[in-house]
Each structure stands twice: as C-alpha cells, then as structure tokens.
Amino acid sequence: EGNHTGYENAKYWLSGGPKCLDRPTFHPIYRALVQLALHQTPLCVEAGVIARQNGKQHTNIISDGGTKRTVFVPNGEWDGFTFINLCQQQRMGTGTKSNGDDTFNNDKNDEKDEKEQEELIGKEIAFLQRAELLLLLRSELIDCLEIYKKTE
C-alpha cells in the first residue's frame, strides 16, 4: 500500500494507489458530498473541500518507490485531499486552514473566537465524515443488490 499509514495512505489511494493517476479517483457520491458541503458546511467550503477557481493541485502525494505525485482536482469538484488534511488537522489539534491561509487562526480573532470557530468546523467535518460513510455504504449496498438481482 505504498508504505503509507493513516492520512497519507488515504491520499495514496485517493490518487489511484499503484496506478499513479493525475486526477483523484472518482466516485458517484462526490456529487452528493459537494451538494451537502455547499448547503450544510460553509466553513469546510471556505477551507477548500470543493476546488475553486482554476481547480487545485496537490503535489506531496508519494507513490511507490518514493516518487512524488501531482494530482489535480478540477474546479467545482470534491477535493478529498483537502478534506483529508482538514480531518488530520482537526484530529491533531493543529487548527484548520483555508487553502494554506490562516483563515481560522488570524490576528483579528481573539482566542475565544478561534476556539469557537475550531469547534464549529470540527462539527462540520464530523458531519461530512458521517455523510461520506453513509453515502459509500448506500452506494455499495445498491451495487450488491444489483449483482444479486442478476444472479436470480
């Protein structure tokens, strides 16, 4: 598995695993995640879970053999790499940042506001994690049922 663990392993597989794709793997649930994010998680959207403007390039995904990989997420699509980074930052307590900027940790906010902001984005991240898992399970269940119907 590319000699990765944890968050780096998730990025490795999102970028195609041993296939070394230049775009993230696509799954039909991403459309639903984009819609949920747009309507339910404004802080996550601000942090970049949906690629904006000209899309977003991620360049530190290490493939087999230690070679760096560059993956491009087109404009308007679910950016799983940014979402993985947000999850990691939230889990590690390092604060969430928007597209490399200190959007949530700037001098304009006092310490209380920063803590409240981190709690809010933490709730949004948890919401998207649950939604992603439920959407994936639903998708796989539907696929299994279709396969079962074909065998009858």
Side-chain angles (χ1 to χ4, degrees), residues 4 8 12 15 20-22 58-71:
H4 300 294
E8 294 307 312
Y12 172 76
S15 64
C20 296
L21 303 176
D22 61 354
H58 297 274
T59 55
N60 288 328
I61 297 136
I62 306 297
S63 59
D64 285 330
T67 358
K68 286 188 179 181
R69 219 185 255 193
T70 299
V71 178

Side-chain angles (χ1 to χ4, degrees), residues 43 46-48 56 82 85-86 89 94-105 118 121:
L43 295 175
E46 185 180 336
K56 186 159 184 192
T82 295
N85 289 339
L86 284 175
Q89 291 166 354
T94 57
T96 49
K97 297 179 181 181
S98 171
N99 293 329
D101 302 328
D102 270 342
T103 302
F104 301 112
N105 297 327
E118 287 299 324
I121 198 166

Side-chain angles (χ1 to χ4, degrees), residues 64-83:
D64 285 330
T67 358
K68 286 188 179 181
R69 219 185 255 193
T70 299
V71 178
F72 180 75
V73 180
N75 179 38
E77 291 195 16
W78 177 252
D79 188 343
F81 300 103
T82 295
F83 186 60

